[in-house]
Amino acid sequence: MRILGIDPGIATIGFGVLDYENNNFSLVKCGVITTPPHISLSSRLDQIYNDLGDLIGAFKPDCVSVEELFFNTNITTGISVAHGRGVILLACYKANLTVYEYTPLQVKQSVAGYGRAEKKQVMEMVRRLCNLKTVPKPDDAADAVALAICHARSSTSLLQKGVSSECSTI
């Protein structure tokens, strides 16, 4: 399964393309989409939409894993990130891709084994799970890879496979 992980934003959007097979992770590509701050919001959203469409076309993911929005204290930043996230969801929809959404807590739990793990711990686990020499840079790209790992692990859950019996011998 090829997963496109996306860390939404407006100035910097992290992406990570990850192949997952037989419980093994293989990082295909990661990086960031950036938009210049001096152009209009509409132009930035258009650029995100087009660049994401190019990524989808180039790497042909099976699905997309996107971080859910988490508002801390700066609601203005959160609103602009929400604009970017909306365009990301639209680009995925237009490409007929299924989008899975995860909270930061779910990503940390899935990647590091602890929902309150520090960023350094998550980044180190990304490096280890993908068998990389260094942590992906910048942080937005590493976050996107963590989102892809989270979905890979979630997608192999018995709950995802429709097993509803409380006691299973699978």
Side-chain angles (χ1 to χ4, degrees), residues 96-169:
N96 294 314
L97 290 168
T98 304
V99 175
Y100 298 89
E101 301 174 70
Y102 298 96
T103 65
L105 189 122
Q106 288 173 308
V107 174
K108 291 176 182 181
Q109 175 68 41
S110 179
V111 175
Y114 176 57
R116 303 276 183 224
E118 293 186 26
K119 190 169 190 79
K120 279 197 238 179
Q121 293 170 300
V122 175
M123 296 304 143
E124 177 59 18
M125 286 306 297
V126 165
R127 185 192 70 74
R128 289 180 182 195
L129 290 168
C130 294
N131 199 26
L132 304 171
K133 291 181 182 179
T134 60
V135 171
K137 295 287 181 195
D139 286 355
D140 301 287
D143 290 345
V145 176
L147 278 151
I149 291 169
C150 177
H151 178 66
R153 289 188 157 173
S154 172
S155 70
T156 59
S157 163
L158 290 176
L159 293 174
Q160 285 286 58
K161 298 196 182 300
V163 176
S164 58
S165 164
E166 286 183 32
C167 218
S168 176
T169 57

Side-chain angles (χ1 to χ4, degrees), residues 50-81:
N50 291 329
D51 287 355
L52 187 56
D54 291 345
L55 271 174
I56 291 168
F59 293 103
K60 299 180 180 18
D62 297 308
C63 60
V64 180
S65 176
V66 179
E67 186 174 70
E68 285 188 10
L69 284 185
F70 174 75
F71 288 95
N72 196 2
T73 53
N74 191 344
I75 192 129
T76 304
T77 301
I79 289 171
S80 64
V81 171

Side-chain angles (χ1 to χ4, degrees), residues 14-17 27-32 59 132 135-138 140-142 144-145:
F15 71 87
V17 180
L27 182 62
V28 177
K29 179 83 173 172
C30 68
V32 292
F59 293 103
L132 304 171
V135 171
K137 295 287 181 195
D140 301 287
V145 176

